[in-house]
Each structure stands twice: as structure tokens, then as C-alpha cells.
Amino acid sequence: MKNIIKSSVLLLFGLLALAACSDDRDSNPTVQSPTTFSLNTPVYASSTIDLASSSAINFSWSQPDYGFPAVANYQIEFSLNNSWKVSTTKARADKSGKTIADYTTIEDVYNICKAQVNAAKIARGLEMIAKWEEGKVPATQKVYARCVASYAGDTISSNVVTLIVAPYYVEVKDHAPVLWYMTGNCIANGKWGNSEDAVGVSMIPLLPLAGEEYDVNTGTGTIGYTGYFSANAEFKIIEKLGSWDKGICSDGSPLGTKYRDGGSDPGNIKIDQAGYYSITLNTKTHACTIKKLTATTMPLYAKMAMPGSYQPGSGWDPTANFMKKCTTAAGVENHDWTATVTLDTGHQLQFAANGALTDTWSASDFPYGTGVKGGTARITVVEPGKYTVFFNDITGQYYFLK
């Protein structure tokens, strides 16, 4: 009888062990390595799609068979001849102009199996491939589209579908440097804003740096900021306006930083000692350094203006067109200024402090650059429009954001 009981107990444990193994296999599926997946042919594929009057084109696809519902990154690509050898990104990076692109990748990344692809971005991508002259764009154009999926370091492509579009001329320019924004208890008004309307109010941008080059396709590169931080300052650097999920946070060490790409919040960057600090951030690699400067004082200006030829009459009036202080938080010095101004091609201007032409900054670069204090060059507008202007009076960095 005892032997029977023992056998029954052993059998029970064996069954439990098998069940546990089965559960483990169910929760840890075997990862597969698919080589392709299916992009659905849009219902409108047989019709001509007018890119100029369309806001977006809808695409959908099946998830690659990874063996489980993996969250992959998807992008849509287009070609004029069904050739996928050289991207527009690679071609534009070759400043000699010898590399010829045969396809373009739309920059937007999707994590679900459908997308609304911006029609203007498609038109721009096709222009970068074809390089049509203004007035010589074809009335209709056959276009090939595919989807690419990236997961766990592997990238695979879907089948190709064809579309007929009515393209239009797009002036292709280098991508402007990408800006990231600081927000925190010591930044601007100290209210931790992160929306678009908080820029210049409770957020301050890191600006392009003199001597740095920026990717013509993505605008990534090294940007920076120099300013005064109060004791016990806390802040973050936001990558995407309106989102807390991506940006630079603390790694837990003094002045140490860590890039957050979703997930839990690593915490705020903290500065214990009041003083002047310099921040540099590579927006491509996400490497960020914060260094305390040896300077103990910097000139403080009560006012900042933008005198120039765009002003009525003879112009260049340093007592008009005053900029607003970005930093208004208690106990924090202001060295950042902003203004909104409408400019036309050929207008010239500079920055001037305290309602006089004694302390001025200028350079010849537009829409961004580093002004030289007392310099004789003039910032000359090359494209008309309404601009939000940012200026740092310690470094001379400026940016005209359209």
C-alpha cells in the first residue's frame, strides 16, 4: 500500500512538472526569423492619387511571422523603378553628388500594422529621387511601394505594390538641425511644461553649435546650451514635444545622464551647486555631457532687442522690437531671449542689449548661427516668413524657427 501511495505521488509530481514545462514553453515561444511579410494592395491602387490635394495615403500589412506578436518598427519606402539599392538618405549624404538614389524611406516609424503616410512627405521623397525641374513634373507617375520591418536587429521587406500618383514640384532642402528642449524647476518659468505652446515659456531649446555639421537628411548632430542653474535644480531634456517617454534623464550619478526610450522614468537630472553649466547633446547617438564652468559671474542684461532693416523708417532702432526673457523662475539668472517676428528676404538684423548699440551680437548665418559680440556682419534673411527667434547672450547662439 505504501508503494502504491509513493507511486501515485511520483506520478502526480511528474504531471505537475510536465504542466510547468508546457506553461514555460507557452510563455517563452520560439522566436522565428521571417524573410518577408505581406503589404496589402490599397483599394485605391488603380486610381490616380493626387498628392497635392491628399493629406495622407493609407497602408496596411500583416505582421511578420516572428512566432509571437512582436512590436516591430515599420516604415514605408517608395521607388520609381522598383529598384531598392541606394536610398535618398545615402545619396544626399554624399556631398559630391555622385551617388544616385533609386528609393526613398519615409521617416515616420509605426508600431502597428497600418499607417497614414503623409502625402507631402511622399512628394518630397519622389522629388529627391527624380530631381524634377519646376514646371517639368509629369502629370502622373507609376510608383512602387513596400514596407520594411525592423525587430531585434534584423530588417526585412514586404512584397511590392504599385500605385499611380500625380506628383508635384518640391524644393528639397537640407533638414534643419533638430532641437531638443529642457524643462524643469529651474528652466524658463519653472513649471515643467512639455507641449509645443510651452516652448519659450516653460521650455528652452538646446541650439546648434558653431563648427558642428548636421545630417542633411535627419538634422541630427551636436547641439548645446550654456546657462545659469540654481542650487537643487532638477530638469529633463525632452526629445519630442508633448511626450515624456523620450529624452535625457539622470543615470543616478552627479551630472550623469541617460537616454530614455520609453519604459520607466530614470529620474530628473539634478544639479546641487548653483553656477554656470554647459550641456552638449548629440541627437543622433544620444550622448549627453554636463560640465560646470569655472566662471562665477556673467553679464546680466535687463533688455534685449533685434534692431534691423525690417523696422520702419531707417530701421536699426535698439529701443524697439524687444525680446522676452525666457527665464523667469525665482533665483535663476536669465540669459535666454525669445521673440516672434515677420521677416522678408534680404532683411538684415542683429541682437542688441539694454536699448543701445553698445553690446551687440551678429553673424552672417541664417536661420541659425553663433553671433560674435561686436561683430560687423549682419544676419541676412534668405527666406520670408514668420519666425520664433531664440538667442543666448552667453554663447551668442541664435535660431530663427519658422
Side-chain angles (χ1 to χ4, degrees):
M1 185 66 178
K2 290 182 179 179
N3 289 335
I4 294 174
I5 294 174
K6 288 181 180 178
S7 298
S8 300
V9 172
L10 288 173
L11 178 61
L12 177 61
F13 280 133
L15 292 173
L16 290 173
L18 287 173
C21 290
S22 176
D23 289 343
D24 286 344
R25 284 194 296 268
D26 289 341
S27 60
N28 296 282
T30 301
V31 179
Q32 300 183 39
S33 300
T35 58
T36 189
F37 61 103
S38 179
L39 174 64
N40 299 320
T41 300
V43 295
Y44 47 77
S46 59
S47 304
T48 299
I49 304 166
D50 187 353
L51 295 180
S53 61
S54 301
S55 59
I57 298 179
N58 295 321
F59 290 92
S60 65
W61 54 89
S62 61
Q63 185 186 57
D65 186 11
Y66 293 112
F68 66 103
V71 180
N73 290 331
Y74 300 100
Q75 289 181 280
I76 306 297
E77 297 181 335
F78 297 91
S79 172
L80 296 178
N81 58 3
N82 201 18
S83 180
W84 312 90
K85 296 178 180 179
V86 181
S87 69
T88 51
T89 298
K90 182 177 180 180
R92 298 196 73 219
D94 178 9
K95 296 184 178 180
S96 71
K98 295 180 180 180
T99 303
I100 306 300
D102 56 18
Y103 77 94
T104 188
T105 304
I106 304 303
E107 62 189 29
D108 299 309
V109 177
Y110 307 92
N111 297 121
I112 57 176
C113 294
K114 61 181 180 180
Q116 290 186 320
V117 184
N118 184 278
K121 292 183 178 181
I122 297 174
R124 184 177 186 274
L126 298 181
E127 177 68 38
M128 286 193 287
I129 300 171
K131 298 182 179 180
W132 292 304
E133 295 180 11
E134 190 170 8
K136 296 184 179 180
V137 181
T140 61
Q141 174 68 50
K142 187 176 183 179
V143 173
Y144 301 84
R146 71 178 186 179
C147 183
V148 293
S150 300
Y151 180 75
D154 292 327
T155 299
I156 59 174
S157 304
S158 73
N159 59 299
V160 174
V161 300
T162 58
L163 308 169
I164 303 297
V165 304
Y168 60 91
Y169 175 77
V170 179
E171 184 180 1
V172 177
K173 302 176 182 179
D174 290 351
H175 199 300
V178 174
L179 300 183
W180 292 34
Y181 299 85
M182 299 184 300
T183 185
N185 66 3
C186 60
I187 305 299
N189 65 7
K191 294 185 178 180
W192 288 93
N194 78 336
S195 60
E196 186 172 352
D197 58 5
V199 175
V201 179
S202 54
M203 305 183 78
I204 296 177
L206 283 75
L207 300 177
L209 294 168
E212 294 290 338
E213 293 188 0
Y214 298 89
D215 190 297
V216 297
N217 295 291
T218 65
T220 55
T222 301
I223 56 179
Y225 174 80
T226 298
Y228 181 85
F229 290 80
S230 56
N232 302 315
E234 294 190 23
F235 66 101
K236 283 182 168 69
I237 303 175
I238 303 299
E239 178 179 0
K240 302 292 184 182
L241 293 175
S243 172
W244 295 102
D245 294 336
K246 292 179 180 288
I248 304 298
C249 302
S250 173
D251 68 358
S253 65
L255 303 184
T257 62
K258 176 181 180 180
Y259 176 65
R260 179 187 182 186
D261 187 10
S264 59
D265 184 357
N268 301 330
I269 302 169
K270 296 182 180 180
I271 291 180
D272 295 330
Q273 296 181 332
Y276 299 96
Y277 290 80
S278 180
I279 302 173
T280 57
L281 168 63
N282 186 311
T283 56
K284 183 175 184 178
T285 66
H286 305 147
C288 180
T289 60
I290 304 175
K291 295 182 179 179
K292 191 174 190 300
L293 304 183
T294 57
T296 57
T297 60
M298 293 282 186
L300 284 174
Y301 301 102
K303 297 178 180 180
M304 190 67 62
M306 292 189 300
S309 62
Y310 66 98
Q311 295 174 333
S314 59
W316 300 99
D317 181 2
T319 64
N321 292 92
F322 283 114
M323 306 180 77
K324 295 180 180 179
K325 292 182 178 181
C326 288
T327 303
T328 58
V332 186
E333 295 179 2
N334 177 71
H335 294 280
D336 299 280
W337 308 83
T338 186
T340 300
V341 62
T342 299
L343 301 169
D344 204 351
T345 302
H347 280 162
Q348 294 184 323
L349 58 132
Q350 61 182 178
F351 301 98
N354 293 340
L357 295 175
T358 305
D359 291 322
T360 63
W361 296 258
S362 189
S364 57
D365 301 311
F366 185 88
Y368 62 90
T370 300
V372 176
K373 193 171 185 179
T376 58
R378 296 291 179 263
I379 300 169
T380 303
V381 179
V382 299
E383 183 177 341
K386 186 176 182 180
Y387 293 89
T388 298
V389 188
F390 295 97
F391 172 67
N392 181 291
D393 64 40
I394 295 177
T395 63
Q397 292 167 277
Y398 62 85
Y399 200 117
F400 288 74
L401 187 62
K402 195 171 183 180

